[in-house]
């Protein structure tokens, strides 16, 4: 699968990303996110793929990823 660095929302079919992810195993999804270079919007810009790999490696039967969807940081959607 090729990762395209220049995409617009208009060029992506609705639900295509979720559909592709549903056809992959969890490690494949994490690897794709890691390769994409996606980073968090916090001050450190921590790589999302690394964060997800930590969550996947956590002990226990149930794991949770908590997403703070606050738009209080400069440059987030509210400023567009």
């Amino acid at each position: 699968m090729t990762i395209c660095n220049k995409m617009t929302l208009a060029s992506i079919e609705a639900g295509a990303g979720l559909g592709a992810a549903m056809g992959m195993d969890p490690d494949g999804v994490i690897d794709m996110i890691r390769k994409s270079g996606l980073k968090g919007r916090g001050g450190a810009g921590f790589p999302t793929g690394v964060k997800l790999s930590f969550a996947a490696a956590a002990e226990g039967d149930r794991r949770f990823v908590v997403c703070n969807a606050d738009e209080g940081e400069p440059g987030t959607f509210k400023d567009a």
Side-chain angles (χ1 to χ4, degrees), residues 41-65:
R41 296 290 300 181
F46 196 78
T48 304
V50 173
K51 186 179 292 188
L52 292 175
S53 68
F54 290 161
E59 293 183 21
D61 294 332
R62 295 178 70 189
R63 298 173 192 99
F64 299 90
V65 175

Side-chain angles (χ1 to χ4, degrees), residues 27-72:
D27 289 334
V29 173
I30 292 171
D31 189 52
M32 179 68 70
I33 292 170
R34 185 185 55 75
K35 288 178 181 177
S36 77
L38 181 67
K39 294 183 179 183
R41 296 290 300 181
F46 196 78
T48 304
V50 173
K51 186 179 292 188
L52 292 175
S53 68
F54 290 161
E59 293 183 21
D61 294 332
R62 295 178 70 189
R63 298 173 192 99
F64 299 90
V65 175
V66 178
C67 173
N68 179 356
D70 177 39
E71 293 185 358

Side-chain angles (χ1 to χ4, degrees), residues 12-24:
I12 302 171
E13 179 183 341
L18 178 59
M22 295 298 288
M24 301 169 73

